[in-house]
């Protein structure tokens, strides 16, 4: 009989990678659930600080479940620019991490 590799988890066990993925999925559900519960408070704060505008303004985008509040063209452009900036930072961080790992793996192979 062949013996299983020592690093292989027993049949039916959850590996560390799977455990991490399950944790991320659960964390996403909790985060989105928390945002859903607090959505009224969030929109009230955004309205109070003039980040979004009330329904009486000339809106380009209306936020869901906000009583008609939303973004005009100027605020929409700022939001899109902020989103693109965050995306650029995320892509840069991922690229640096991959390059660091590749560099570390090359050092271990030699």
């Amino acid at each position: 009989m062949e013996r299983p590799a020592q690093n292989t988890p027993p049949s039916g066990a959850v590996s560390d990678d799977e455990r991490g993925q399950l944790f991320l999925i659960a964390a996403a559900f909790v985060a989105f659930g928390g945002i859903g519960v607090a959505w009224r408070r969030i929109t009230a704060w955004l309205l109070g600080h003039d980040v979004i505008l009330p329904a009486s303004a000339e809106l380009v985008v209306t936020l869901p479940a906000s009583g008609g509040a939303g973004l005009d063209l100027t605020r929409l452009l700022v939001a899109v620019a902020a989103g693109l900036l965050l995306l650029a930072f995320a892509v840069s961080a991922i690229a640096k991490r991959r390059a660091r790992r590749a560099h570390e793996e090359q050092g271990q192979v030699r």
Side-chain angles (χ1 to χ4, degrees):
M1 282 200 322
E2 288 185 32
R3 295 175 64 189
Q6 289 185 349
N7 293 336
T8 305
S11 170
V14 178
S15 70
D16 287 340
D17 288 342
E18 291 171 335
R19 186 172 290 128
Q21 290 173 354
L22 291 173
F23 174 77
L24 288 176
I25 291 169
F29 276 114
V30 170
F32 286 122
I35 290 172
V37 169
W39 184 247
R40 287 185 188 235
R41 292 180 71 191
I42 293 169
T43 56
W45 186 89
L46 292 172
L47 277 167
H49 289 84
D50 293 327
V51 176
I52 60 175
L53 298 172
S56 60
E58 294 182 25
L59 303 176
V60 175
V61 176
T62 302
L63 298 176
S66 66
L71 302 169
D72 62 353
L73 185 59
T74 305
R75 286 171 175 79
L76 178 63
L77 292 175
V78 169
V80 168
L84 290 173
L85 189 62
L86 286 173
L87 180 65
F89 280 129
V91 168
S92 174
I94 291 170
K96 285 181 183 179
R97 177 179 284 172
R98 286 184 179 173
R100 189 179 319 124
R101 283 186 183 168
H103 181 70
E104 288 172 358
E105 288 176 2
Q106 286 177 356
Q108 290 175 357
V109 171
R110 291 181 184 176

